Amino acid sequence: MNSKSSSAFDELLRRVTVQNVVHFQNGLPGFPADKRFVILQNPEDRPLVWLQSLDSPSLAFVATTPFVLFPEYRPDVPEHELVAIGSPAPEEILLLSLLRVILLPTP
């Protein structure tokens, strides 16, 4: 990580409050050590957001709500999963889909 990105990450950490942190008890699949994330939104990038790890400064995911791409999508969330996150009301749940960005070679 270069000093510019390190200072940007340090600035991010100064602005993060406990209320901003999303905690994944078991980490994300493939990233079990990364449990604390913050969602970063830039109005120019809507509807995309960044899911930035607070445990690994170089780890961030591009994400969006699946309803942007599939308005009729209705996830079937098992009851035990809802209990594990405190049984929130549907309007209190933020569902994000991680996106894969593929860079194509220029012709």
Side-chain angles (χ1 to χ4, degrees):
M1 179 184 323
N2 65 38
S3 61
K4 183 178 179 182
S5 62
S6 178
S7 63
F9 187 75
D10 292 342
E11 176 59 29
L12 168 67
L13 288 179
R14 282 191 284 279
R15 293 182 306 173
V16 170
T17 65
V18 173
Q19 293 85 1
N20 299 110
V21 176
V22 179
H23 186 265
F24 295 94
Q25 184 175 349
N26 299 314
L28 293 177
F31 303 92
D34 292 279
K35 299 180 182 336
R36 299 175 311 128
F37 289 82
V38 63
I39 297 169
L40 303 175
Q41 295 178 314
N42 179 353
E44 295 175 7
D45 294 337
R46 285 198 171 151
L48 303 178
V49 298
W50 288 95
L51 187 61
Q52 171 67 58
S53 172
L54 295 175
D55 299 310
S56 300
S58 62
L59 181 63
F61 299 97
V62 179
T64 191
T65 175
F67 308 108
V68 169
L69 302 170
F70 305 100
E72 302 302 317
Y73 178 62
R74 298 294 175 261
D76 183 23
V77 182
E79 185 65 31
H80 71 275
E81 295 289 343
L82 292 172
V83 169
I85 61 171
S87 300
E91 62 273 6
E92 295 175 317
I93 297 173
L94 174 62
L95 182 63
L96 292 175
S97 295
L98 302 185
L99 305 176
R100 179 177 173 208
V101 178
I102 301 173
L103 298 177
L104 300 175
T106 54

